[in-house]
Amino acid sequence: MAAARVILHIDLDCFYCQVEQKRLGIPASVPCAVQQWEGLIAVNYAARAAGITRHMRVKEARQHCPDLKTVHVQTLGGSDGNGEEFGPANRDKATEKACLERYRRASVEIIGLLHRSASKAVIEKASIDEVYIDVTALVDEELQERAAAEGGGPRRPGLRDGTEGLHGFAWGSVVVGGPLDEGSEVDQRLACGAAIACRLRGAVREQLGFTCSAGIAGNKLLAKIASAMNKPNQQTLVPSRAVPSLMSDLPLKKLRNFGGKLGQELEALGCTTAGEVARHPRAVLEARFGMQRTAWMLQAVNGISDEPVQVKEKVKSMLAAKSFDAATSDVAAIKRWFRVLGEELCDRMLNDYAEHHRHPRTLSLSYRGGGNGGYATDRSKAGPMPRFGKDSPSIEAIADAAMALFQKATETLPCTRLALSAHDFAPAALTEQQGAITRFFAGPAASAPGPSVSPLPSTPAPSSSPSASRAQNQPGRAAFDKLFKGVRKSSLRQTSTEQPSGSGNMHGKHIQPADICLDGVDIERQRRILQDIRVQQAFAARGSDHPDEQQASDILTPQPLHQKRDQQELQRQMKSTSTTDRSGTKATHPNMSSKRPRLELSKTQPKLTSLFGRLK
Ligand code: TTP
């Protein structure tokens, strides 16, 4: 039989507030809230103690707590373009747009740290500030190691340290329903999970300055309930014997998926807690919700779930949008909005690049125009994402490309909504190398912004054209012929009817910069293609076409390899996103102690550290 699962749910405390407080050096003890326009969207625990709640209007909140500090979310498009001061916010919803990139960036940092700290665990991002972590394999490993260390060989795992018993190993957790059962193997496994949770929270606090709360249980459903039970900065463990009493009185709104319409329908049946649903006549529930849904509901209200922790797929697209209260036909204003949306998109693309090392190849414009007899209609238009250069993606290039799409679109005005999205992602090495090959074949003219790759085939030019025979003598042809052997049929779509100066040629057929597509060609091979092309170029410039190996290596060595450029670029971006914010402020909370947090359990910690110290 498989060993009992151990699942953690880690949830940052008052997340947006912590991000802003860290950035602005506001101590956790100062009442603070994050506002968007006139409403509060996040409230710290000091402010909660003073009676402030989320969604309160700023004015009302100040009446409750005159010392309240409010920080407006970052906005784009305003005169200062930043929104970083606290105090009275002077934001104009008509000309500015809220931007949550700061919080997304902090989230990426935190999740990255969790991945590094528990590389053998399965981590699922549940929202911007919460993750599920399946630590079952880590627990197995740690218990086995401990058993081996204690007894010189495999034996029944135990957690006793001889002084405090199993309860001591809850690592400062609040244990629902009282002390853990020393004789229970399941409780021993949960205690081990608690040690891991404690260390992960310590790492987040120590290395990034954020506090979080955790739930430790046998499934995702219980772990999530548990993490919310003792906020902030605590962890809660749910042993299996405590589940019935925990669920019995649990308000339905605290149970995932039981809010909203389902919650209202159950309330109409007289059920406001999970226990009341569990005790409700099954036939009544089945008549109302059907057999399948009822079966699922009854499992959930009894704290049963076998839902796996799953690594989420990377996002397939990213969007920046703005809706206007009043329709506009002002094209200059629309161009200005494209810059604002382009800025947000660029920020997100850069963060995504730092995390996943990929670039989007397509830019889409969506707009709501009023051309349809006065009724607003949503339409969209797509084109290639402007090329990624050294300092790109460039806001201006994106704004220009968006404006070009807008001008080609129909029934755009008057406009009530604009959105730009980036999608069709490809590994950065692929898009950049495609760009490099493209530039090579296009010559100097290709350094201007433009699409990095075009997936569209058209008619090949006749091989007998004068321009084609001129192009056959272009440097690089030998490299091209040699390296693309076997590639071109499956992946190289080469087309075109015109021959711009500096373009390449293959077997008398013209290659346009936008016509090269290397989808499916492995990265190593593309790297060799680029290297060979560089060698051929250099030798063509010296009047030779056949370098020997040593000569080729002499040419290649002084030039940084593409991989190195990628790494440098990645490091540069990681550095700028992880240690400084946009204003250049060093991202260190002045109040954060540099000492390792000891959390609640101190007496047994040194001994336990040696038992549970290894996470990687
Ligand atoms: P939550 O995790 O719901 O709340 P929180 O982190 O602020 O506080 P807690 O310690 O109780 O978990 O939301 C995470 C962030 O998402 C929150 O800081 C602000 C944002 N948010 C909104 O902008 N609007 C909302 O309606 C909610 C619920 C959250």
Side-chain angles (χ1 to χ4, degrees), residues 367-379:
Y367 59 95
R368 189 171 298 155
N372 183 19
Y375 293 101
T377 313
D378 287 310
R379 293 189 178 80

Side-chain angles (χ1 to χ4, degrees), residues 229-542:
M229 288 176 73
N230 293 288
K231 273 185 154 262
N233 197 22
Q234 291 191 76
Q235 58 183 54
T236 305
L237 189 156
V238 185
S240 50
R241 73 181 149 65
V243 175
S245 61
L246 171 68
M247 298 308 290
S248 178
D249 299 327
L250 189 81
L252 277 180
K253 58 176 180 298
K254 295 204 171 175
L255 192 54
R256 191 161 59 110
N257 298 324
F258 280 74
K261 197 159 169 257
L262 178 59
Q264 286 167 11
E265 288 181 73
L266 287 165
E267 205 173 327
L269 292 176
C271 302
T272 54
T273 64
E276 284 166 353
V277 179
R279 291 187 291 273
H280 211 72
R282 187 172 184 137
V284 175
L285 295 175
E286 284 182 348
R288 177 73 193 78
F289 300 103
M291 283 172 68
Q292 219 178 346
R293 201 156 174 226
T294 300
W296 164 80
M297 271 182 357
L298 288 176
Q299 291 229 315
V301 295
N302 283 299
I304 300 166
S305 165
D306 58 4
E307 188 186 328
V309 174
Q310 281 172 314
V311 178
K312 284 258 172 80
E313 281 197 357
K314 297 171 199 162
V315 294
K316 291 200 166 62
S317 68
M318 42 191 64
L319 178 106
K322 175 72 186 178
S323 296
F324 309 120
D325 289 341
T328 180
S329 294
D330 180 349
V331 175
I334 283 167
K335 178 80 202 272
R336 198 182 72 83
W337 275 114
F338 282 142
R339 273 196 291 274
V340 173
L341 298 176
E343 185 178 349
E344 185 173 357
L345 210 53
C346 273
D347 241 6
R348 295 191 62 187
M349 281 155 57
L350 275 172
N351 282 345
D352 184 81
Y353 173 78
E355 197 183 356
H356 302 303
H357 206 211
R358 62 181 186 161
H359 286 319
R361 291 184 289 193
T362 304
L363 173 72
S364 286
L365 159 73
S366 306
Y367 59 95
R368 189 171 298 155
N372 183 19
Y375 293 101
T377 313
D378 287 310
R379 293 189 178 80
S380 60
K381 199 126 191 109
M385 182 61 79
R387 178 182 297 145
F388 295 84
K390 189 163 160 282
D391 298 307
S392 64
S394 125
I395 297 166
E396 277 306 318
I398 291 180
D400 289 347
M403 196 63 206
L405 290 172
F406 192 77
Q407 281 162 346
K408 274 190 233 159
T410 55
E411 301 187 275
T412 49
L413 300 174
C415 182
T416 54
R417 183 174 185 271
L418 289 173
L420 294 183
S421 64
H423 50 106
D424 186 19
F425 286 89
L430 180 62
T431 51
E432 286 161 12
Q433 288 184 5
Q434 284 172 337
I437 292 173
T438 295
R439 282 191 291 282
F440 166 71
F441 279 103
S447 56
S452 58
V453 66
S454 162
L456 299 173
S458 62
T459 319
S463 59
S464 56
S465 76
S467 53
S469 54
R470 265 201 315 278
Q472 268 178 330
N473 298 324
Q474 291 285 326
R477 187 224 158 150
F480 191 91
D481 284 354
K482 191 172 104 195
L483 288 156
F484 279 86
K485 200 173 168 192
V487 168
R488 64 179 78 109
K489 272 196 198 121
S490 57
S491 6
L492 177 71
R493 283 165 259 170
Q494 56 86 29
T495 56
S496 181
T497 49
E498 288 172 29
Q499 173 74 22
S501 66
S503 68
N505 173 280
M506 184 179 73
H507 293 291
K509 294 175 183 174
H510 305 171
I511 311 299
Q512 289 280 33
D515 291 334
I516 296 169
C517 176
L518 287 171
D519 290 345
V521 179
D522 76 70
I523 299 295
E524 193 44 48
R525 187 150 187 213
Q526 290 180 49
R527 192 170 291 131
R528 274 190 281 115
I529 289 170
L530 281 176
Q531 287 184 352
D532 233 16
I533 286 172
R534 277 212 305 272
V535 171
Q536 294 288 345
Q537 254 183 317
F539 270 81
R542 295 179 201 174

Side-chain angles (χ1 to χ4, degrees), residues 11-16 41-42 45 48 54-55 129 231:
D11 186 10
L12 272 290
D13 301 319
C14 55
F15 183 49
Y16 287 11
I41 57 171
Y45 282 82
R48 291 183 204 190
R54 178 184 281 146
H55 302 314
D129 76 332
K231 273 185 154 262

Side-chain angles (χ1 to χ4, degrees), residues 188-228:
Q188 291 172 10
R189 295 177 65 80
L190 290 173
C192 186
I196 294 168
C198 181
R199 288 187 59 83
L200 292 175
R201 289 173 52 231
V204 172
R205 169 88 190 235
E206 186 183 333
Q207 294 180 40
L208 300 174
F210 296 115
T211 68
C212 52
S213 300
I216 304 111
N219 64 43
K220 287 168 75 174
L221 179 144
L222 293 168
K224 181 163 169 80
I225 293 169
S227 70

